Amino acid sequence: MNDRKLDELMHPPDLTQHARGTGPIRTQRPLYVDLLPPCNNACPAGENIQGWLALAQAGSYEKAWQVLMEDNPMPSVHGRVCYHPCEDHCNRNEVDSTVNIHAVERFLGDLALREGWQIKKVAPPTGRRVLVVGAGPSGLSAAFHLSRLGHAVEIHEAGPLPGGMMHFGIPAYRMPRKELEQEVERIEAMGVMMLLNHRVQDVLAEKETGGFDAVFLAIGSHLGKRTEIPARDAGKILDAVSFLRDTATGQPPELGRRVAIYGGGNTAMDSARTAKRLGAEEALIVYRRNPEQMPAHAFEVEEAIKEGVKINWLRTIKAIDQTRLQVEVMTLDEEGRPQPTGEIETLEADSLILALGQKTDSAFLQSVPGIEFRPDGTVAVGSDFMTGYPGLFAGGDMVPSERTVTAAVGHGKKAARHIDAYLRGEQYVKPPKHDIIGFDGLHLGFLTDAEQRKQPSVDPERRAYGFEEIAKGLSETEAAYESRRCFSCGNCFECDGCYGACPEDAIIKLGPGKRYRFDFNRCTGCAVCFEYCPCHAIEMIPEPGVADATGKDHHA
């Protein structure tokens, strides 16, 4: 508990707004509603976070995992690598700190792997076949959801292992390979066929030969972007994507004692931290903007600095001469754009890693009629994820979008729904969203500080000696505690607040998991239930057919 006074913590129901009384005729009535928690709304994979947290806090871990799997086939992976935008929007932030959602997700994912929980298909076989090109997060997600919908799915992957950038782009200290491989194996166990070391050159011919009814393209963005830097005698220059891939396959390049990394995104952070683990004494990031403009997530930057990575802000590389880099000092103009100053500095580096972004190798699609390409190689798709060629869908990093594992998994799920509808000769229509419930809409009777349970982590001093996973998982006790910190925003969790507060005994309990119903023969419309509902799962609506104080007649 912090130093806030009791009156700042207590928020008794405000019944004064109902001071006009109920009168002989009810003018309003309560209605149970389901609103959209901001965490659910912010999740790129569209997870029902509030739903599985509620089951987890009740100790129903397998049921919680089953709910999670309806949207995301790799919770153990996501609990580690997702940048958890859900937590940025958690209403608990207004009280103390966010619910540690990603850590609970990881707990459920890891528990499922230890216990061997399996997903059953929810639909009978349809006899339809779908080709998925690429075994990265988007392709695996699409294959999982299409398989659950009853379709036969075959993945064709150019690389030697499934996982895409999860395997070859995310270092093992963030994403250990054992859990990734186990979650992929579970997808295969559903009947998804996987053909590795097979690069698709002619997608239409492959579709025809294999007798596929639709195709989902998920080839990702595996080509590192480069930039023209004048060089008298260039030293060792690597692109970050190749560097991380070679390291992941056990063939890391010789870097030397001093390594410079050019870029400011999360890939730059991964490259610098990986270089330190490979023995570099100095890893220096060169970035042309300031910390506030850096695209890397703040906690990634913080972790890198803890591990000894240095960052040279407001600098851009102008020329290279063997191990010497000429960098120009930049300044920001009034609009926040970097401008050259003419001031030149010299840095020493045995290797330079370019982390300037990625592009898609979509050249093999150039001959397919109707497909529209962006300058970076990405493919334009409609809201249904279909390209300009009928039956050819695309998602993940190869379409214009946010480039994260979670966004890619969300694409795979959404595309699967549209592909399923296409195969059935129908059109998938997304159900409308409920209204989002903000913190001000909650009716918390009192606020108590409940400190977030942090994940234990390996000391920075130990991290330089290998690729041991940094963040550890929560215990069952810690995961249950974190789940209970959830406010269940906008959704009834059967706290009995309305049941106990109703002065007319007009609320009837329907049993565990069934919530309640109103007896309108007793209800006077006093709104006490509404005021006492902490999560705003009750709304007051005008009584149908009864005029209010303004004389306006309300109709159902």
Side-chain angles (χ1 to χ4, degrees), residues 187-311:
I187 295 173
E188 290 184 275
M190 296 175 64
V192 173
M193 303 297 293
M194 192 112 37
L195 181 60
L196 302 174
N197 292 308
H198 180 85
R199 183 178 296 276
V200 174
Q201 303 286 359
D202 187 333
V203 66
L204 296 184
E206 201 120 346
K207 178 178 181 291
E208 179 83 16
T209 303
F212 295 105
D213 301 292
V215 179
F216 180 63
L217 300 167
I219 61 173
S221 294
H222 296 272
L223 300 180
K225 292 181 180 178
R226 302 185 72 88
T227 186
E228 294 297 326
I229 302 175
R232 295 179 187 172
D233 189 4
K236 181 172 289 186
I237 302 178
L238 310 167
D239 76 82
V241 177
S242 299
F243 166 62
L244 293 172
R245 180 173 58 242
D246 292 344
T247 301
T249 56
Q251 299 175 320
E254 293 289 336
L255 296 175
R257 187 171 62 87
R258 296 162 303 188
V259 180
I261 300 91
Y262 195 24
N266 295 310
T267 301
M269 299 301 140
D270 283 340
S271 298
R273 298 170 72 183
T274 297
K276 292 285 287 185
R277 284 165 172 76
L278 292 176
E281 295 179 18
E282 181 179 293
L284 174 66
I285 291 175
V286 179
Y287 180 57
R288 67 194 189 104
R289 297 179 185 268
N290 62 16
E292 291 72 28
Q293 296 174 315
M294 199 173 212
H297 289 84
F299 69 88
E300 290 276 11
V301 178
E302 181 181 346
E303 289 289 328
I305 292 174
K306 281 183 182 178
E307 295 174 12
V309 173
K310 298 177 181 178
I311 304 178

Side-chain angles (χ1 to χ4, degrees), residues 256-523:
R257 187 171 62 87
R258 296 162 303 188
V259 180
I261 300 91
Y262 195 24
N266 295 310
T267 301
M269 299 301 140
D270 283 340
S271 298
R273 298 170 72 183
T274 297
K276 292 285 287 185
R277 284 165 172 76
L278 292 176
E281 295 179 18
E282 181 179 293
L284 174 66
I285 291 175
V286 179
Y287 180 57
R288 67 194 189 104
R289 297 179 185 268
N290 62 16
E292 291 72 28
Q293 296 174 315
M294 199 173 212
H297 289 84
F299 69 88
E300 290 276 11
V301 178
E302 181 181 346
E303 289 289 328
I305 292 174
K306 281 183 182 178
E307 295 174 12
V309 173
K310 298 177 181 178
I311 304 178
N312 215 342
W313 307 103
L314 290 168
R315 301 292 189 275
T316 186
I317 298 177
K318 301 297 291 184
I320 304 173
D321 186 3
Q322 278 289 3
T323 60
R324 292 186 177 182
L325 305 179
Q326 286 189 357
V327 300
E328 183 173 9
V329 179
M330 309 296 283
T331 186
L332 298 179
D333 61 20
E334 293 179 354
E335 297 180 359
R337 294 175 299 191
Q339 300 295 336
T341 64
E343 180 182 349
I344 302 296
E345 298 175 345
T346 300
L347 302 176
E348 293 286 338
D350 300 302
S351 301
L352 172 63
I353 299 174
L354 301 178
L356 304 173
Q358 296 149 236
K359 58 184 179 180
T360 301
D361 186 9
S362 55
F364 76 104
L365 298 172
Q366 294 289 339
S367 62
V368 179
I371 293 186
E372 181 184 344
F373 299 90
R374 299 286 186 261
D376 61 355
T378 55
V379 173
V381 293
S383 59
D384 58 357
F385 290 88
M386 191 186 293
T387 67
Y389 188 91
L392 204 61
F393 298 78
D397 287 356
M398 70 172 296
V399 304
S401 66
E402 177 189 5
R403 291 183 171 179
T404 67
V405 170
T406 312
V409 165
H411 283 190
K413 179 184 75 172
K414 296 169 187 174
R417 292 170 175 171
H418 288 289
I419 293 170
D420 174 65
Y422 170 81
L423 295 175
R424 298 176 188 278
E426 301 170 358
Q427 186 174 13
Y428 174 75
V429 178
K430 182 180 177 181
K433 284 186 176 183
H434 294 131
D435 293 335
I436 300 173
I437 177 68
F439 180 77
D440 291 341
L442 302 179
H443 300 156
L444 303 174
F446 60 90
L447 304 179
T448 57
D449 288 339
E451 185 178 354
Q452 184 193 81
R453 290 294 184 266
K454 303 286 186 182
Q455 293 172 258
S457 62
V458 175
D459 293 334
E461 295 75 19
R462 283 178 50 195
R463 298 179 189 176
Y465 298 100
F467 286 83
E468 175 186 2
E469 184 177 16
I470 292 174
K472 304 303 180 182
L474 298 179
S475 67
E476 180 178 344
T477 300
E478 291 169 329
Y481 167 87
E482 273 302 310
S483 301
R484 295 186 187 110
R485 294 180 68 238
C486 173
F487 286 151
S488 191
C489 304
N491 294 272
C492 174
F493 61 100
E494 299 180 22
C495 69
D496 284 353
C498 58
Y499 179 77
C502 180
E504 305 296 338
D505 291 332
I507 295 177
I508 301 170
K509 295 177 68 170
L510 301 179
K514 299 179 181 179
R515 301 186 180 182
Y516 315 85
R517 71 174 176 85
F518 296 107
D519 181 352
F520 289 111
N521 290 323
R522 292 172 175 249
C523 175

